Amino acid sequence: MAELAGLVQRLEVAVGRLESMSGGGGGVSGPAAGSGAVSAYVEAYDALISGPVAQYAALSQKIGGDVQKHAEMMKQAFSCQRQLLVTASRSQKPSESALAPLLAPVSKVIQEVQAFREKNRSSPLFNHLSAVSESVPALGWVAMAPKPGPFVKDMQDAAMFYTNRVLKDYKEKDKMHVDWVNAYVSIWTELQAYIKQHHTTGLSWSKTGPVASASGGAPAPPPPGPPPPMDFGEKSSAGDSGAVSRNALFASLNKGADITKGLKHVSDDKKTHKNPALKSQTGPLPSGPKPFASRPTAAASPARTLPPVLELDGKKWKVENQEGAQGLVISDTELKQVVYAFKCNNSTLQVKGKINSIIVDNCKKMGLVFDDVVGIIEVINCRDVKIQVMGKVPTISINKTDGCHVYLSKDSLACEIISAKSSEMNVLVPNKDGEYTEIPVPEQFKTIWDGSKLVTTATEIAG
């Protein structure tokens, strides 16, 4: 079945090419009608679709279920991106404002792929869905310049945690899932090679022809990446007045039948339906609520890009605003010092020696390796972080974080891990053979009243 599906995919691509060369209308895989033969880089992209993408789709069909549904979305995303490549090969690059509509179709599919994963968190194939969801923003390379290739590599690396999980779960049970991982990863590997050859510093647009526009009929791909994580900032001062208003409302409702006693009685001579003459005095009554007037939106202020920081300020090592910084090292440490990592993304930090404490705040896809901490490690408002203990640490606190993986050493097995308002937490404990055993931290709890107090216990996540 996998070979047959791959053959069908290649035939569809070949038919699309023939139709375009003969001036006929192309299907999903074919370019716009009457435009002549496709460019060399569109043909190279067709080879990517008929190769690793078709193989991934065929294996997904064999696995079935949620993985197959996800693969159908991915095929649509690649098809939409091909349409943009056809447009770019025949049109001049438009302005930034005109480019956005061209990027919209794949952007929409990317959001659907990621939403599908979130709606199916209890799926037995959740790791497969997560691998795809974490890496699908790689299709936003068309909007990345001057380094679209490294951007795809970053997105591929983002899926590695989940592809490794699939390999670990199935390498001894079902080789088909191992083949699925290899086929899926090869999509992004070959896409990087394709970009390096045809679009090294960004999407290549034609030097001739009309300026591209969405009305030209060729849809296209996405701005990169998922939406930013939600901001769990402090409550506004309006919250206090809101609480007062709610209390007043509840107090009124508690009056029961007496709630109507405060209403004023209106006599018949003041009712307009019994005295039509009153309407002429008050003017015409409104027929309904006015439609919402469109308010002019204020121009969004450009995002401030703060410079990266790695310095010792008194007793505090400040590591801030690091983007894609691999191999950051703090080595000249003392016991009284602390490390504060803030807004570091796609970066790694190693802290050598023994220090007082470490705080990781508002970081995404960050790795932290340290030797010894005598106080506490705090992880706050983070997403997809990995913490590895080489020596000892008494306490690790995880708060408002989605995706935290803690690798303990043999000397730190007595560590206390305190978590709140967090998800996807895993602790990895070393075995005698040097491998790690991964254990999830409970996220779901059951609380009962035992007659004198509340008793809370962890429960298995329903799925």
Side-chain angles (χ1 to χ4, degrees), residues 169-394:
D169 292 343
Y170 289 96
K171 65 181 179 180
E172 303 296 337
K173 297 191 301 183
D174 192 339
K175 185 176 180 296
M176 181 171 59
H177 292 264
V178 177
D179 293 339
W180 180 90
V181 168
N182 294 332
Y184 182 71
V185 172
S186 71
I187 294 175
W188 307 122
T189 302
E190 294 201 19
L191 180 59
Q192 291 170 60
Y194 166 80
I195 292 171
K196 184 176 181 181
Q197 182 176 357
H198 299 284
H199 310 275
T200 309
T201 58
L203 177 60
S204 298
W205 292 83
S206 175
K207 301 298 182 183
T208 60
V211 176
S213 66
S215 60
M230 294 177 64
D231 181 16
F232 295 95
E234 294 183 358
K235 296 180 179 179
S236 65
S237 59
D240 295 337
S241 61
V244 172
S245 299
R246 286 192 296 273
N247 291 337
L249 173 61
F250 294 146
S252 298
L253 293 175
N254 287 333
K255 293 180 181 179
D258 292 338
I259 193 171
T260 60
K261 286 186 176 180
L263 298 178
K264 180 181 178 181
H265 178 70
V266 180
S267 58
D268 290 345
D269 61 332
K270 295 182 180 180
K271 297 176 182 178
T272 56
H273 68 283
K274 292 188 176 183
N275 294 278
L278 291 176
K279 292 184 180 181
S280 60
Q281 300 175 15
T282 58
L285 297 176
S287 58
K290 295 182 179 179
F292 290 104
S294 58
R295 299 179 180 177
T297 56
S301 57
R304 295 175 57 197
T305 303
L306 299 176
V309 175
L310 176 55
E311 64 180 13
L312 178 61
D313 183 6
K315 297 180 181 179
K316 178 192 291 187
W317 282 98
K318 299 197 306 186
V319 187
E320 301 177 356
N321 310 314
Q322 300 287 346
E323 291 285 344
Q326 305 295 323
L328 297 172
V329 178
I330 297 175
S331 56
D332 188 14
T333 58
E334 298 178 7
L335 183 60
K336 61 184 179 181
Q337 293 174 346
V338 301
V339 173
Y340 180 63
F342 178 70
K343 287 192 175 179
C344 297
N345 301 324
N346 296 302
S347 303
T348 60
L349 171 65
Q350 181 179 6
V351 181
K352 298 183 179 181
K354 182 181 292 187
I355 63 172
N356 185 278
S357 62
I358 300 176
I359 298 175
V360 182
D361 185 7
N362 270 286
C363 296
K364 179 181 178 182
K365 289 181 170 41
M366 180 178 178
L368 169 67
V369 181
F370 64 91
D371 291 341
D372 294 284
V373 168
V374 298
I376 186 173
I377 298 287
E378 294 186 69
V379 182
I380 310 167
N381 288 327
C382 292
R383 180 179 174 187
D384 295 336
V385 294
K386 297 181 181 179
I387 312 293
Q388 183 168 7
V389 188
M390 305 303 293
K392 293 183 179 180
V393 59

